[in-house]
Amino acid sequence: LPGVHVTRTSRVHKELVHGVLRSSLCLVAQGAKRVMLGQEIYEYDTSRMLVYSIDVPVAAQVTLASLDEPFLGFRLDLDPSRIADLTSKVYPHGLPHQGEGRAICVDQADAQVLNAVVRLMGLASQPGDAELLAPLVIDEILIRLLRSPLGLRVALIGQEKSRVHQVSKAVIW
């Protein structure tokens, strides 16, 4: 499924893994992970979800994994144009004012987002259905994310005049 990434590892990372991550939603089905952006540390597991609002260089490590219970992670790339379209529907009267916030946000995992992600992953084994239904389920995930406590932060990803969008363009450059 385009824009959908899954990770499985059976060991804890002793060393940091460095990379640049796109705007995305990250969930953990099993295990735990730590992400570092500069001096800031973000930890998430099955009870928390993480959102990257801009493309950022990070260092990360899986902190809970074993052969019996491997780390299982999910990442959905967030498309700014799709978010902009859905934001206009979720917030038809415009976005409430909110500060710009940070490049990475962590909050409690939303049960409705998790349910939609499980259904999306189920489509991966059904190519005929996935082609038609995956975009609808991804839209559902985005709408539920926009309605979550992280919603206003996610909405800024699709707003061309926001500082988030401007910083994202600079990072990409």
Side-chain angles (χ1 to χ4, degrees):
L1 301 172
V4 174
H5 312 272
V6 292
T7 304
R8 180 185 191 278
T9 186
S10 299
R11 62 179 176 82
V12 170
H13 294 155
K14 295 186 187 323
E15 300 293 323
L16 295 173
V17 177
H18 297 270
V20 176
L21 286 181
R22 298 184 56 183
S23 297
S24 55
L25 164 67
C26 299
L27 299 167
V28 173
Q30 189 169 271
K33 190 170 186 177
R34 177 181 301 134
V35 174
M36 287 154 269
L37 175 62
Q39 298 300 313
E40 298 172 9
I41 298 174
Y42 302 89
E43 295 186 288
Y44 65 111
D45 53 24
T46 58
S47 68
R48 292 173 282 198
M49 59 185 178
L50 180 140
V51 170
Y52 293 95
S53 58
I54 61 173
D55 298 7
V56 287
V58 296
Q61 64 187 152
V62 171
T63 57
L64 181 60
S66 69
L67 288 173
D68 294 331
E69 294 184 14
F71 172 83
L72 303 172
F74 168 88
R75 188 178 89 230
L76 175 65
D77 294 338
L78 300 177
D79 176 9
S81 63
R82 192 70 200 125
I83 289 173
D85 182 49
L86 293 171
T87 297
S88 68
K89 295 173 183 171
V90 173
Y91 298 100
H93 304 293
L95 291 174
H97 179 68
Q98 175 183 329
E100 291 285 330
R102 302 215 177 278
I104 299 176
C105 305
V106 177
D107 199 18
Q108 292 302 115
D110 182 282
Q112 293 177 322
V113 170
L114 293 173
N115 181 286
V117 167
V118 168
R119 286 186 282 112
L120 179 65
M121 293 308 299
L123 288 171
S125 64
Q126 304 166 2
D129 288 345
E131 186 177 336
L132 296 171
L133 296 176
L136 300 174
V137 178
I138 289 171
D139 279 357
E140 178 189 351
I141 292 168
L142 295 176
I143 290 168
R144 294 193 182 282
L145 195 55
L146 284 165
R147 289 187 169 168
S148 78
L150 297 175
L152 292 175
R153 186 74 186 139
V154 171
L156 292 175
I157 295 169
Q159 305 300 307
E160 287 192 29
K161 294 182 181 178
S162 73
R163 281 189 53 213
V164 167
H165 189 76
Q166 293 167 352
V167 169
S168 182
K169 285 171 58 176
V171 169
I172 291 168
W173 179 80

